[in-house]
Amino acid sequence: MSDKFKELEVKLSKYKWYLKEAKQLELSIRYPYQLADGNVGGGKSSGGDNDKLLSTLIKIDENEVLNKYVKIGQAIERTFAELPEHLQEAMMEFYINRKGHYRGHPKRCAAKLNVDVSTLYRWRTEIVTEFDRQLQKDEKNKEES
């Protein structure tokens, strides 16, 4: 297996992690922890940004880590949508639904899918190839804009 194949498989298997981290980053930008400004009089504080929603949206849009996680998650979702049903099932079993200490174990997944381990490997190769194609599409779109 090549290093790129392994790297792409790691990204695929971290799908739920990317979703969770992206949500946490977005929430931390939308609702940052703020110290009290000392305004105890009940009136408006003086100065400051009057358009907090716009500045929050700009911060979300410009956060590179958040954008990276969202793009990887979207590429994984597009990959799933493009695959035939048997590959979708293999993708869910091998990469997405990773529970227990046998998670991502080729022999266990192959048995659960009722296929040979070599067949599962071919399917994994097809899934990773499609995922790479989706990521390349993102890069191409990024360069064009």
PDB file of all heavy atoms in Angstrom, residues 58-72:
ATOM      1  N   ILE A  58     -17.710  36.282   9.021  1.00  0.00           N
ATOM      2  CA  ILE A  58     -16.414  36.451   8.355  1.00  0.00           C
ATOM      3  C   ILE A  58     -15.367  35.560   9.014  1.00  0.00           C
ATOM      4  O   ILE A  58     -14.583  34.899   8.337  1.00  0.00           O
ATOM      5  CB  ILE A  58     -15.983  37.932   8.361  1.00  0.00           C
ATOM      6  CG1 ILE A  58     -16.901  38.729   7.423  1.00  0.00           C
ATOM      7  CG2 ILE A  58     -14.532  38.087   7.944  1.00  0.00           C
ATOM      8  CD1 ILE A  58     -16.740  40.232   7.507  1.00  0.00           C
ATOM      9  N   LYS A  59     -15.363  35.516  10.346  1.00  0.00           N
ATOM     10  CA  LYS A  59     -14.404  34.652  11.064  1.00  0.00           C
ATOM     11  C   LYS A  59     -14.624  33.187  10.701  1.00  0.00           C
ATOM     12  O   LYS A  59     -13.666  32.430  10.524  1.00  0.00           O
ATOM     13  CB  LYS A  59     -14.540  34.838  12.576  1.00  0.00           C
ATOM     14  CG  LYS A  59     -13.976  36.140  13.079  1.00  0.00           C
ATOM     15  CD  LYS A  59     -14.202  36.256  14.581  1.00  0.00           C
ATOM     16  CE  LYS A  59     -13.808  37.622  15.086  1.00  0.00           C
ATOM     17  NZ  LYS A  59     -14.142  37.788  16.516  1.00  0.00           N
ATOM     18  N   ILE A  60     -15.876  32.775  10.617  1.00  0.00           N
ATOM     19  CA  ILE A  60     -16.181  31.383  10.244  1.00  0.00           C
ATOM     20  C   ILE A  60     -15.710  31.106   8.824  1.00  0.00           C
ATOM     21  O   ILE A  60     -15.082  30.092   8.546  1.00  0.00           O
ATOM     22  CB  ILE A  60     -17.695  31.093  10.391  1.00  0.00           C
ATOM     23  CG1 ILE A  60     -18.075  31.043  11.869  1.00  0.00           C
ATOM     24  CG2 ILE A  60     -18.086  29.795   9.687  1.00  0.00           C
ATOM     25  CD1 ILE A  60     -19.567  30.962  12.126  1.00  0.00           C
ATOM     26  N   ASP A  61     -15.986  32.029   7.914  1.00  0.00           N
ATOM     27  CA  ASP A  61     -15.620  31.860   6.511  1.00  0.00           C
ATOM     28  C   ASP A  61     -14.111  31.824   6.316  1.00  0.00           C
ATOM     29  O   ASP A  61     -13.612  31.124   5.438  1.00  0.00           O
ATOM     30  CB  ASP A  61     -16.241  32.981   5.681  1.00  0.00           C
ATOM     31  CG  ASP A  61     -16.098  32.736   4.199  1.00  0.00           C
ATOM     32  OD1 ASP A  61     -16.448  31.634   3.749  1.00  0.00           O
ATOM     33  OD2 ASP A  61     -15.623  33.660   3.492  1.00  0.00           O
ATOM     34  N   GLU A  62     -13.372  32.567   7.131  1.00  0.00           N
ATOM     35  CA  GLU A  62     -11.932  32.677   6.944  1.00  0.00           C
ATOM     36  C   GLU A  62     -11.123  31.685   7.779  1.00  0.00           C
ATOM     37  O   GLU A  62      -9.906  31.638   7.660  1.00  0.00           O
ATOM     38  CB  GLU A  62     -11.480  34.106   7.262  1.00  0.00           C
ATOM     39  CG  GLU A  62     -11.988  35.110   6.262  1.00  0.00           C
ATOM     40  CD  GLU A  62     -11.603  36.538   6.608  1.00  0.00           C
ATOM     41  OE1 GLU A  62     -11.148  36.794   7.743  1.00  0.00           O
ATOM     42  OE2 GLU A  62     -11.766  37.412   5.745  1.00  0.00           O
ATOM     43  N   ASN A  63     -11.762  30.878   8.609  1.00  0.00           N
ATOM     44  CA  ASN A  63     -11.037  29.928   9.439  1.00  0.00           C
ATOM     45  C   ASN A  63     -10.570  28.757   8.571  1.00  0.00           C
ATOM     46  O   ASN A  63     -11.376  27.943   8.116  1.00  0.00           O
ATOM     47  CB  ASN A  63     -11.919  29.437  10.590  1.00  0.00           C
ATOM     48  CG  ASN A  63     -11.155  28.615  11.589  1.00  0.00           C
ATOM     49  OD1 ASN A  63     -10.584  27.587  11.242  1.00  0.00           O
ATOM     50  ND2 ASN A  63     -11.143  29.079  12.826  1.00  0.00           N
ATOM     51  N   GLU A  64      -9.265  28.672   8.354  1.00  0.00           N
ATOM     52  CA  GLU A  64      -8.714  27.673   7.437  1.00  0.00           C
ATOM     53  C   GLU A  64      -8.905  26.240   7.929  1.00  0.00           C
ATOM     54  O   GLU A  64      -9.197  25.338   7.142  1.00  0.00           O
ATOM     55  CB  GLU A  64      -7.229  27.958   7.192  1.00  0.00           C
ATOM     56  CG  GLU A  64      -6.998  29.227   6.389  1.00  0.00           C
ATOM     57  CD  GLU A  64      -5.531  29.525   6.175  1.00  0.00           C
ATOM     58  OE1 GLU A  64      -4.702  28.617   6.323  1.00  0.00           O
ATOM     59  OE2 GLU A  64      -5.213  30.677   5.849  1.00  0.00           O
ATOM     60  N   VAL A  65      -8.728  26.019   9.228  1.00  0.00           N
ATOM     61  CA  VAL A  65      -8.875  24.669   9.770  1.00  0.00           C
ATOM     62  C   VAL A  65     -10.320  24.200   9.618  1.00  0.00           C
ATOM     63  O   VAL A  65     -10.584  23.073   9.178  1.00  0.00           O
ATOM     64  CB  VAL A  65      -8.426  24.612  11.247  1.00  0.00           C
ATOM     65  CG1 VAL A  65      -8.689  23.243  11.838  1.00  0.00           C
ATOM     66  CG2 VAL A  65      -6.958  24.982  11.371  1.00  0.00           C
ATOM     67  N   LEU A  66     -11.257  25.078   9.962  1.00  0.00           N
ATOM     68  CA  LEU A  66     -12.676  24.751   9.828  1.00  0.00           C
ATOM     69  C   LEU A  66     -13.010  24.437   8.373  1.00  0.00           C
ATOM     70  O   LEU A  66     -13.662  23.434   8.080  1.00  0.00           O
ATOM     71  CB  LEU A  66     -13.546  25.904  10.344  1.00  0.00           C
ATOM     72  CG  LEU A  66     -15.048  25.770  10.160  1.00  0.00           C
ATOM     73  CD1 LEU A  66     -15.583  24.544  10.898  1.00  0.00           C
ATOM     74  CD2 LEU A  66     -15.759  27.027  10.644  1.00  0.00           C
ATOM     75  N   ASN A  67     -12.548  25.269   7.450  1.00  0.00           N
ATOM     76  CA  ASN A  67     -12.816  25.043   6.032  1.00  0.00           C
ATOM     77  C   ASN A  67     -12.217  23.724   5.544  1.00  0.00           C
ATOM     78  O   ASN A  67     -12.839  23.004   4.767  1.00  0.00           O
ATOM     79  CB  ASN A  67     -12.284  26.201   5.195  1.00  0.00           C
ATOM     80  CG  ASN A  67     -13.114  27.448   5.368  1.00  0.00           C
ATOM     81  OD1 ASN A  67     -14.309  27.387   5.621  1.00  0.00           O
ATOM     82  ND2 ASN A  67     -12.483  28.601   5.264  1.00  0.00           N
ATOM     83  N   LYS A  68     -11.031  23.391   6.033  1.00  0.00           N
ATOM     84  CA  LYS A  68     -10.383  22.130   5.644  1.00  0.00           C
ATOM     85  C   LYS A  68     -11.224  20.943   6.118  1.00  0.00           C
ATOM     86  O   LYS A  68     -11.494  20.024   5.345  1.00  0.00           O
ATOM     87  CB  LYS A  68      -8.985  22.072   6.254  1.00  0.00           C
ATOM     88  CG  LYS A  68      -8.257  20.773   6.018  1.00  0.00           C
ATOM     89  CD  LYS A  68      -6.925  20.778   6.746  1.00  0.00           C
ATOM     90  CE  LYS A  68      -6.329  19.389   6.762  1.00  0.00           C
ATOM     91  NZ  LYS A  68      -5.147  19.295   7.607  1.00  0.00           N
ATOM     92  N   TYR A  69     -11.659  20.969   7.374  1.00  0.00           N
ATOM     93  CA  TYR A  69     -12.457  19.871   7.912  1.00  0.00           C
ATOM     94  C   TYR A  69     -13.786  19.732   7.180  1.00  0.00           C
ATOM     95  O   TYR A  69     -14.223  18.630   6.872  1.00  0.00           O
ATOM     96  CB  TYR A  69     -12.710  20.063   9.409  1.00  0.00           C
ATOM     97  CG  TYR A  69     -11.487  19.912  10.287  1.00  0.00           C
ATOM     98  CD1 TYR A  69     -11.539  20.248  11.625  1.00  0.00           C
ATOM     99  CD2 TYR A  69     -10.276  19.437   9.786  1.00  0.00           C
ATOM    100  CE1 TYR A  69     -10.424  20.108  12.447  1.00  0.00           C
ATOM    101  CE2 TYR A  69      -9.163  19.302  10.593  1.00  0.00           C
ATOM    102  CZ  TYR A  69      -9.238  19.637  11.923  1.00  0.00           C
ATOM    103  OH  TYR A  69      -8.150  19.493  12.731  1.00  0.00           O
ATOM    104  N   VAL A  70     -14.428  20.860   6.899  1.00  0.00           N
ATOM    105  CA  VAL A  70     -15.712  20.832   6.187  1.00  0.00           C
ATOM    106  C   VAL A  70     -15.532  20.274   4.781  1.00  0.00           C
ATOM    107  O   VAL A  70     -16.318  19.435   4.330  1.00  0.00           O
ATOM    108  CB  VAL A  70     -16.352  22.239   6.160  1.00  0.00           C
ATOM    109  CG1 VAL A  70     -17.522  22.293   5.195  1.00  0.00           C
ATOM    110  CG2 VAL A  70     -16.790  22.648   7.565  1.00  0.00           C
ATOM    111  N   LYS A  71     -14.477  20.697   4.085  1.00  0.00           N
ATOM    112  CA  LYS A  71     -14.232  20.214   2.719  1.00  0.00           C
ATOM    113  C   LYS A  71     -13.950  18.706   2.695  1.00  0.00           C
ATOM    114  O   LYS A  71     -14.424  18.000   1.809  1.00  0.00           O
ATOM    115  CB  LYS A  71     -13.084  20.983   2.077  1.00  0.00           C
ATOM    116  CG  LYS A  71     -13.468  22.383   1.648  1.00  0.00           C
ATOM    117  CD  LYS A  71     -12.425  22.967   0.741  1.00  0.00           C
ATOM    118  CE  LYS A  71     -12.752  24.392   0.354  1.00  0.00           C
ATOM    119  NZ  LYS A  71     -14.032  24.568  -0.260  1.00  0.00           N
ATOM    120  N   ILE A  72     -13.198  18.207   3.666  1.00  0.00           N
ATOM    121  CA  ILE A  72     -12.925  16.773   3.724  1.00  0.00           C
ATOM    122  C   ILE A  72     -14.229  16.014   3.982  1.00  0.00           C
ATOM    123  O   ILE A  72     -14.515  15.009   3.327  1.00  0.00           O
ATOM    124  CB  ILE A  72     -11.868  16.447   4.805  1.00  0.00           C
ATOM    125  CG1 ILE A  72     -10.500  16.975   4.370  1.00  0.00           C
ATOM    126  CG2 ILE A  72     -11.789  14.941   5.057  1.00  0.00           C
ATOM    127  CD1 ILE A  72      -9.425  16.906   5.441  1.00  0.00           C
TER     128      ILE A  72
END
